[in-house]
């Protein structure tokens, strides 16, 4: 019998049962890809992260991400959850330096914010953001995500944005409209697969008190009807806001993004956009809570 340590970490929150749950397997060197996929399916969380040794000279770990149905190239909340676990349960806090993960999209460094010896949050620097056009009918997209056409915010273009995976950015006028959204998941899945989109990301600058932006995220194409609080999609959104000129160039911008409230898993993301150079740099941070720790028992293969 092979025993595999596994953790359930709620990311972008300080509380259990909030934020976005991630599975974290910190000792995955001996697992096959098939085993990793089966474990992710068994955990049935939005994403699970598997950490293993890296041969990259600048990386501390190789990390792979799986939804219950497929491997994806990058996951923000599972990176936050993995970093928090390493810092609080695996002694990384004492090292006093960032953790560098080798992912399918490149190196992702994660800084530890420590005050009086206590970890406050972890912050990942995502890869360079990009945006691209997408030929879609706005009325059809509104129908698929379950809002009215007049709920779309015409001040912002509907585009694809990325800091590691493609996200369809859908601007919405109010947070109330976002909360009312009832997506047609089968149709949205077909649209996303057609354009190789990871998630469809609704956002409103009309945010609840304490937040600058409010978002909601649907990802049926990768086996997740709704992703509660998304580090990758909100990083891509922040890059979109910079590249499309909604964040003034030559400045450093700080955004507090709220997500998950509509489904009872509120989370908070702290995003810094360094828009002082030719290409903006996106940092996405938050806290986490290790909610479950245990062992999987696998048969030897």
């Amino acid at each position: 019998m092979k025993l595999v340590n596994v953790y359930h970490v709620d990311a972008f929150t300080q509380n259990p049962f909030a934020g976005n749950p991630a599975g974290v397997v910190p000792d995955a060197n001996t697992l096959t890809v098939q085993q990793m996929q089966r474990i992710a399916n068994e955990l049935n969380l939005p994403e699970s992260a598997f950490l293993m040794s890296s041969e990259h000279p600048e990386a501390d770990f190789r990390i792979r991400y799986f939804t219950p149905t497929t491997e994806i190239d990058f996951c923000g909340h599972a990176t936050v959850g993995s970093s928090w676990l390493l810092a609080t349960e695996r002694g990384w806090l004492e090292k006093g330096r960032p953790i560098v993960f080798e992912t399918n999209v490149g190196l992702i460094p994660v800084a530890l914010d420590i005050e009086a010896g206590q970890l406050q949050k972890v912050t990942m620097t995502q890869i360079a953001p990009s945006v691209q056009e997408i030929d879609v009918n706005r009325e059809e997209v509104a129908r698929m995500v379950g809002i009215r056409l007049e709920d779309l915010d015409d001040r912002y273009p509907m585009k694809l944005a990325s800091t590691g995976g493609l996200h369809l950015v859908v601007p919405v006028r109010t947070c109330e409209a976002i909360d009312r959204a009832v997506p047609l998941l089968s149709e949205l899945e077909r649209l996303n697969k057609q354009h190789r989109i990871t998630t469809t990301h609704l956002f409103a600058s009309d945010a609840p008190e304490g937040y600058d932006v409010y978002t909601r995220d649907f990802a049926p194409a990768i086996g997740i009807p709704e992703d509660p609080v998304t580090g990758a999609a909100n990083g891509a959104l922040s890059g979109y806001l910079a590249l499309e000129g909604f964040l003034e160039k030559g400045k450093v911008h700080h955004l507090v993004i709220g997500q998950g409230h509509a489904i009872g898993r509120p989370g908070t993301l702290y995003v810094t956009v360094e828009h002082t150079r030719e290409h903006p740099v996106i940092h996405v941070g938050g806290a986490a809570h290790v909610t479950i720790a245990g062992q999987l028992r696998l048969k030897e293969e």
Side-chain angles (χ1 to χ4, degrees):
M1 190 75 67
K2 177 189 290 188
L3 300 180
V4 179
N5 293 319
V6 62
Y7 298 83
H8 175 134
V9 186
D10 291 323
F12 297 118
T13 180
Q14 294 178 325
N15 304 311
F17 320 125
N20 200 353
V24 180
V25 178
D27 307 297
N29 277 334
T30 63
L31 296 177
T32 66
V33 172
Q34 184 181 47
Q35 286 174 323
M36 286 187 272
Q37 184 63 76
R38 286 179 173 176
I39 290 171
N41 179 264
E42 183 74 10
L43 295 176
N44 199 31
L45 299 172
E47 283 92 2
S48 293
F50 296 81
L51 279 57
M52 58 207 77
S53 302
S54 173
E55 296 182 359
H56 194 290
E58 299 176 32
D60 297 298
F61 300 93
R62 173 85 167 96
I63 186 169
R64 297 178 71 165
Y65 311 95
F66 292 80
T67 77
T69 62
T70 190
E71 183 175 9
I72 59 174
D73 288 334
F74 177 63
C75 174
H77 89 275
T79 304
V80 166
S82 298
S83 302
W84 192 273
L85 176 73
L86 290 170
T88 60
E89 306 263 341
R90 293 293 181 112
W92 205 273
L93 201 61
E94 286 69 38
K95 295 180 185 291
R97 65 177 179 84
I99 307 168
V100 180
F101 293 104
E102 178 194 0
T103 76
N104 287 353
V105 299
L107 295 180
I108 303 292
V110 181
L112 309 181
D113 182 355
I114 304 167
E115 293 182 9
Q118 297 295 313
L119 185 62
Q120 304 299 311
K121 70 176 185 295
V122 298
T123 302
M124 59 187 153
T125 301
Q126 299 184 354
I127 68 169
S130 62
V131 295
Q132 62 187 71
E133 301 287 343
I134 181 171
D135 184 17
V136 290
N137 182 291
R138 289 172 64 90
E139 183 174 359
E140 277 297 288
V141 171
R143 185 183 65 83
M144 288 182 194
V145 300
I147 62 176
R148 301 169 301 191
L149 179 61
E150 56 266 31
D151 289 328
L152 292 177
D153 193 337
D154 294 334
R155 294 174 298 172
Y156 300 90
M158 190 178 295
K159 289 193 174 183
L160 296 176
S162 174
T163 52
L166 278 180
H167 304 272
L168 176 59
V169 174
V170 180
V172 182
R173 291 188 180 278
T174 66
C175 57
E176 288 83 6
I178 288 180
D179 283 345
R180 291 197 309 269
V182 181
L184 303 174
L185 292 173
S186 60
E187 294 191 41
L188 197 58
E189 178 180 357
R190 285 194 293 272
L191 175 73
N192 287 2
K193 286 183 174 179
Q194 177 187 350
H195 294 279
R196 297 183 179 180
I197 296 168
T198 304
T199 77
T200 298
H201 199 59
L202 282 60
F203 82 95
S205 55
D206 165 58
E209 185 177 355
Y211 298 102
D212 300 300
V213 182
Y214 183 71
T215 67
R216 199 169 170 195
D217 194 84
F218 305 115
I222 59 172
I224 308 167
E226 179 162 358
D227 209 1
V229 191
T230 49
N234 283 303
L237 168 65
S238 302
Y240 154 95
L241 292 172
L243 293 169
E244 292 297 309
F246 298 105
L247 298 178
E248 185 179 349
K249 196 167 185 178
K251 293 186 175 182
V252 176
H253 301 268
H254 300 281
L255 302 174
V256 181
I257 300 178
Q259 192 184 341
H261 300 68
I263 56 173
R265 296 196 65 99
T268 302
L269 307 96
Y270 300 94
V271 181
T272 299
V273 181
E274 295 183 20
H275 205 9
T276 57
R277 291 171 263 176
E278 182 179 357
H279 301 290
V281 179
I282 309 298
H283 309 279
V284 179
H289 186 278
V290 180
T291 302
I292 301 172
Q295 289 183 320
L296 286 170
R297 298 181 176 184
L298 304 182
K299 289 185 176 180
E300 295 286 355
E301 294 186 358

